[in-house]
Amino acid sequence: MSYAIVGFGKVGQALAHAFARKNIEITVASRRPPEALAPQARAIGPTVVAKSLRDALEADTIILAVPFEEHREVANALPSWKGKTVIDTMNALVPLEEVDGLPSSAFAAKAFTGASFVKGFNHLIAAKLAADPVVEGGHRVVFLSGDDEDAIAPVAALAKQLGFAPVKLGKLSEGGALVHARDRVWGQLIFQDLFKTEQ
Ligand SMILES: NC(=O)c1ccc[n+]([C@@H]2O[C@H](COP(=O)([O-])OP(=O)(O)OC[C@H]3O[C@@H](n4cnc5c(N)ncnc54)[C@H](OP(=O)(O)O)[C@@H]3O)[C@@H](O)[C@H]2O)c1
């Protein structure tokens, strides 16, 4: 399994720390060339490797950590997303009419035709996400949701590997609504920094 983070800002770097902590190889990319990202990637850890966006998109699993309005640009960079898993960390505080009345992740998923699309790692501010998720007596919870339930299991396995305790919320418009921003209102679980004693 290969992993890439697209978007190397606050959330992209926070998640790169999580991979580096566990010595798992992670490619990072943005619109800038890899040379521009390499010093920061190296500073996070030796398993964090900056590549071009095109090379990063060769990974099996792509973590989307770009501003919501940029997701189409990323989607258009590949002719087909079949066989890929996309993890959507984006929050979109946009009026409902801009997302056709859908949860923002369901709207974004339409651009990644064929991909297994899972929303996750989006409910905490980046600084919390960057911190070690294993504390005395617990593992930091991350919420996972998506309309393709089968897609969630491998993402939950990754979250566990990174030290988090994944909690599956189900479909985007059901349990997933709790971690969605909708028409400028945050879902009730956003910003809730929870821990479980077991993963
Ligand atoms: N900040 C938080 O605490 C937080 C928490 C939870 C969720 N989120 C969500 O996470 C996402 C990222 O937020 P952030 O705070 O990390 O943003 P950020 O610090 O502004 O970083 C965004 C990154 O995306 C890259 N980027 C922008 N357009 C791109 C494109 N078309 N293709 C490839 N890379 C592109 C930018 O780099 P280049 O300019 O070099 O391309 C930059 O590295 C957002 O959707 C946000 O809602 C943020």
Side-chain angles (χ1 to χ4, degrees), residues 61-150:
T61 297
I62 314 289
I63 301 173
L64 205 52
V66 298
F68 181 73
E69 55 276 20
E70 290 294 328
H71 74 267
R72 268 213 195 83
E73 192 75 25
V74 178
N76 289 341
L78 268 191
S80 166
W81 285 83
K82 203 159 182 286
K84 303 271 188 198
T85 295
V86 174
I87 304 175
D88 172 16
T89 74
M90 301 181 299
N91 285 320
L93 278 173
V94 294
L96 278 180
E97 57 270 22
E98 282 182 30
V99 287
D100 298 343
L102 296 168
S104 63
S105 288
F107 182 84
K110 290 198 290 180
F112 294 84
T113 319
S116 296
F117 199 92
V118 177
K119 186 176 185 73
F121 299 95
N122 67 294
H123 83 289
L124 294 173
I125 58 160
K128 295 256 189 220
L129 205 55
D132 191 341
V134 185
V135 297
E136 202 181 329
H139 296 261
R140 176 167 273 125
V141 166
V142 287
F143 297 108
L144 303 178
S145 52
D147 290 340
D148 173 2
E149 306 250 351
D150 291 344

